[in-house]
Amino acid sequence: MTALVLIESEHGKIRQASRSALAAAAQFGDVDAIILGNEGIDAAAKLAGVRKILHVPALKSALAEPTAALLASLSSSYSHILSAASSMGKNILPRLAGLLDVQPISDVVKINDEATFVRPIYAGNALATVQSSDTVKVLTVRGSSFDPVAEEGGSASVEVLEAPAEDGKSSFLRLEQTESDRPELEVARVVISGGKGLKDESNFHSLLEPVADKLGAAIGASRAAVDSGFAPNEMQVGQTGKIVAPELYIAVGLSGAIQHLAGMKDSRVIVAVNLDPDAPIFKVADYGIVGDLFEVLPALEKAL
Amino acid sequence: MKVLVPVKRVVDYNIKPRVAADGSGVETQGVKMSMNPFDEIALEEALRLREKNQADEVIAVTIGPQVAQDVLRTAMAMGADRAILIRTDAEIEPRVVANLLKVIVERENPGIVSMGKQAIDDDMNATGQMLAAKLGWPQGTFASQVTVADSKVEVAREVDGGTEVLSLSLPAVITADLRLNEPRYATLPNIMKARKKPLETIEADSLGVDLTSHLKLVSVAEPPERTAGVIVETVEELVEKLKTEAKVI
Ligand SMILES: Cc1cc2nc3c(=O)[nH]c(=O)nc-3n(C[C@H](O)[C@H](O)[C@H](O)COP(=O)(O)OP(=O)(O)OC[C@H]3O[C@@H](n4cnc5c(N)ncnc54)[C@H](O)[C@@H]3O)c2cc1C
Ligand SMILES: Nc1ncnc2c1ncn2[C@@H]1O[C@H](COP(=O)(O)O)[C@@H](O)[C@H]1O
């Protein structure tokens, strides 16, 4: 069996979530990786355990339509086609599955055998074991559930592929990015997240950032905080935001709705700061402080 | 232009789902069911297009058992013009949902299929992308803003790195993210009016689509339970515990 993994790069490196997908793929047999655009090709060729890199320079904006078509044209050589359960993977892989008329399997957290997988359903309130009868299995995998392959140690060959002709039905206009020097949310060792309790955008920055700086933490947010404009959408943690499992997760002024817990309850150690002793977040927290975040956060910054 | 809105009946998002004792699934008997929250948003967007005269008819469609017509009544109470129930008692996987929806799209010829990005029961996040593939249409997934002009639609999408903006030719499939809009509530007079709107029922097995699943549900289990820890009195105590007990800082 051979697996093909659609991988992503960022600042010339291969994203950790993609390296986790490669680790998952290695459970099936040989692994090839496919990478779009012109960034990260050298890094890809060094990844541990990859047999061959398929490099598609033309598809740099990773539009779903041509990318899925290309993957479909390659699918007969593979038993499994995977990616990280990233926004890119979730956009493209189900479309590939649609072209192949197979049932994709999203957010895999465990591989039992080549056809049997575990995935969370109902915002992580249940774990489903599912078995696929498709000849090509199309999966997205949760980065936090598989230890990534090493960045170095491999020596894959690189083969350049032409992209299929574009049908002109979709075009990329722009990407609006928020630049940040902080560690990436999904791979940070420490995450501090703020909720509606921070009251406004300026508090969100002035209270969370000094603590995050001391801990080298990434900053996350609840949906209510994002909806209220305290933080950009890519900081949202939860069922519909990012899934994180850091060593330490500090939840400040957020209630702990099940949709938020879905994104962080696999963190190793959880700390909660909330005025309300009955807030559901305390049910999952290892350490809680019942108190006013406007006092607790400055004190925490000092104590660190 | 018609807009077709696929809506799914799911366990209400306020209910904490319980795994059935025999591990066969999640309890749905006697549990409050509602329209999938993302589908309410997708429907709201369709209604707004009609209100801006960019669409002339909004059609809600669901695939499910007879009771699933509840969500179609809700959709019509919110403002959908008519509804279609594709009736089946079988468990239908997203791939089959996409195949059934394709038949309805080919019959109705909408300019946009506006649907949720994910159903909050199976959390699959796949049906829209599969439908778009099967139709050969472009897709705008995880949409946070939709602008229709000159037989094109501009879609702002929530992606890992920020917001991406695409231009798609119509017809297209759009899947709604949470921040696309705030769906309206159905008012009582509109709930009454919705009773008179047309609801067509089609038997799923009459559409020439194979309804069997490729993905078999083997079992469903509770995730490992987290237990509540301790409440500490001071920040100093917290930092001390994080250093010496949890050893995370
Ligand atoms: C389909 C769907 C998907 C969703 N997906 C997500 C998701 O991915 N992520 C997500 O986060 N949510 C998601 N939600 C929303 C979720 O249900 C909650 O509404 C949201 O998480 C609440 O955010 P919050 O905890 O910041 O706000 P609130 O629930 O309003 O909580 C604010 C908290 O702050 C505390 N507080 C207030 N002032 C202070 C103070 N001075 N000091 C200390 N504490 C204080 C309060 O006690 C309260 O507990 C989703 C909802 C739906 C329907
Ligand atoms: N049984 C169904 N009936 C109607 N629409 C559905 C059904 N299942 C899924 N959908 C649509 O597909 C979207 C994504 O679902 P899923 O791929 O299962 O996460 C939902 O938000 C609905 O818009």
Side-chain angles (χ1 to χ4, degrees):
Chain A
M1 284 188 300
T2 308
L4 178 64
V5 184
L6 174 64
I7 61 172
E8 295 162 67
S9 71
E10 199 168 43
H11 307 308
K13 294 173 85 173
I14 303 305
R15 289 186 69 181
Q16 183 172 316
S18 294
R19 290 190 288 116
S20 293
L22 289 165
Q27 301 189 24
F28 305 124
D30 288 336
V31 178
D32 292 349
I34 182 163
I35 183 163
L36 315 176
N38 273 318
E39 273 175 41
I41 313 306
D42 294 343
K46 289 190 206 132
L47 290 166
V50 179
R51 184 178 71 170
K52 181 168 72 175
I53 302 291
L54 304 174
H55 171 206
V56 200
L59 294 180
K60 70 174 189 318
S61 44
L63 287 171
E65 297 79 2
T67 309
L70 176 66
L71 291 171
S73 74
L74 301 170
S75 63
S76 60
S77 311
Y78 297 99
S79 57
H80 298 76
I81 301 180
L82 299 80
S83 78
S86 58
S87 58
M88 174 170 143
K90 288 181 165 181
N91 187 40
I92 294 171
L93 262 65
R95 187 173 177 106
L96 163 67
L99 294 175
L100 301 176
D101 196 38
V102 308
Q103 173 58 46
I105 306 150
S106 308
D107 286 301
V108 170
V109 295
K110 187 165 174 269
I111 296 169
N112 288 358
D113 61 45
E114 33 109 356
T116 316
F117 313 98
V118 180
R119 60 180 300 268
I121 55 174
Y122 288 88
N125 285 293
L127 289 172
T129 301
V130 293
Q131 190 172 41
S132 169
S133 60
D134 285 310
T135 41
V136 180
K137 290 158 187 79
V138 175
L139 333 170
T140 60
V141 307
R142 282 254 171 112
S144 54
S145 302
F146 297 89
D147 285 334
V149 301
E151 285 176 287
E152 311 261 336
S155 54
S157 60
V158 178
E159 182 182 323
V160 174
L161 291 187
E162 299 284 327
E166 300 239 357
D167 61 9
K169 288 179 183 172
S170 63
S171 53
F172 170 83
L173 298 183
R174 60 189 177 273
L175 176 64
E176 292 152 9
Q177 257 172 312
T178 337
E179 280 306 329
S180 157
D181 299 333
R182 293 191 185 283
E184 213 190 316
L185 198 48
E186 289 128 300
V187 304
R189 211 186 68 81
V190 180
V191 173
I192 180 163
S193 286
K196 192 74 200 250
L198 279 134
K199 307 244 164 19
D200 65 33
E201 187 187 0
S202 110
N203 293 333
F204 192 91
H205 291 287
S206 66
L207 289 167
L208 293 179
E209 280 169 7
V211 181
D213 287 344
K214 285 246 166 117
L215 292 168
I219 297 183
S222 70
R223 175 191 172 192
V226 175
D227 285 1
S228 312
F230 304 176
N233 65 265
E234 63 270 23
M235 281 194 189
Q236 181 173 314
V237 170
Q239 182 182 22
T240 52
K242 297 205 165 131
I243 310 290
V244 302
E247 286 290 298
L248 174 60
Y249 189 89
I250 308 178
V252 183
L254 61 80
S255 58
I258 57 171
Q259 295 88 2
H260 188 81
L261 300 185
M264 45 64 74
K265 70 177 162 52
D266 293 332
S267 304
R268 190 165 80 75
V269 175
I270 297 175
V271 170
V273 179
N274 200 303
L275 266 183
D276 172 9
D278 297 325
I281 190 72
F282 286 124
K283 297 211 176 78
V284 300
D286 301 284
Y287 303 103
I289 292 192
V290 179
D292 185 348
L293 69 89
F294 290 89
E295 289 161 18
V296 173
L297 282 177
L300 180 59
E301 199 241 311
K302 277 211 201 77
L304 285 168
Chain B
M1 172 175 87
K2 292 183 193 175
V3 181
L4 187 75
V5 185
V7 296
K8 187 176 188 187
R9 182 175 182 266
V10 298
V11 172
D12 187 89
Y13 81 94
N14 281 310
I15 309 274
K16 186 170 158 51
R18 285 210 333 271
V19 172
D22 63 357
S24 61
V26 163
E27 297 281 5
T28 51
Q29 283 294 326
V31 173
K32 182 175 180 218
M33 305 292 280
S34 301
M35 189 190 302
N36 182 39
F38 292 98
D39 304 352
E40 289 181 347
I41 297 169
L43 173 59
E44 175 66 33
E45 201 60 20
L47 298 173
R48 290 184 189 188
L49 288 175
R50 193 189 58 201
E51 283 157 4
K52 285 187 277 191
N53 292 320
Q54 290 179 317
D56 40 45
E57 193 182 24
V58 175
I59 308 154
V61 54
T62 195
I63 296 157
Q66 187 65 35
V67 285
Q69 64 165 306
D70 295 356
V71 292
L72 296 177
R73 290 286 170 210
T74 307
M76 290 191 289
M78 283 173 70
D81 297 289
R82 61 186 169 92
I84 304 168
L85 169 66
I86 303 177
R87 184 166 58 194
T88 170
D89 289 324
E91 283 295 329
I92 299 288
E93 69 184 11
R95 182 189 62 85
V96 178
V97 170
N99 283 331
L100 290 167
L101 289 175
K102 178 170 183 272
V103 178
I104 300 303
V105 168
E106 283 164 350
R107 201 183 76 173
E108 298 282 352
N109 283 309
I112 291 178
V113 179
S114 176
M115 53 205 289
K117 81 160 182 183
Q118 119 186 29
I120 62 162
D121 51 3
D122 69 11
D123 281 333
M124 198 61 98
N125 190 338
T127 309
Q129 298 86 315
M130 281 193 280
L131 175 63
K134 288 167 191 289
L135 292 165
W137 289 9
Q139 68 188 46
T141 54
F142 328 149
S144 59
Q145 205 179 327
V146 169
T147 317
V148 175
D150 308 326
S151 67
K152 279 194 165 23
V153 57
E154 210 174 282
V155 181
R157 312 179 48 236
E158 293 199 359
V159 296
D160 291 345
T163 304
E164 179 186 76
V165 186
L166 301 180
S167 170
L168 312 175
S169 64
L170 295 177
V173 174
I174 295 172
T175 76
D177 215 319
L178 290 174
R179 272 172 287 278
L180 181 56
N181 59 49
E182 280 260 357
R184 69 195 66 188
Y185 290 102
T187 59
L188 196 60
N190 286 342
I191 293 172
M192 304 304 287
K193 263 195 256 166
R195 296 201 182 143
K196 298 201 190 76
K197 290 185 178 176
L199 193 163
E200 179 188 0
T201 300
I202 302 172
E203 295 302 328
D205 55 16
S206 72
L207 291 174
V209 170
D210 179 1
L211 302 181
T212 50
S213 292
H214 289 183
L215 196 64
K216 187 174 105 195
L217 183 62
V218 179
S219 63
V220 175
E222 298 268 5
E225 205 40 66
R226 257 196 115 98
T227 45
V230 295
I231 297 292
V232 297
E233 295 305 324
T234 65
V235 166
E236 290 67 33
E237 192 187 340
L238 172 68
V239 171
E240 177 62 24
K241 285 207 174 336
L242 291 178
K243 280 186 178 151
T244 57
E245 199 176 88
K247 299 190 172 68
V248 276
I249 57 173

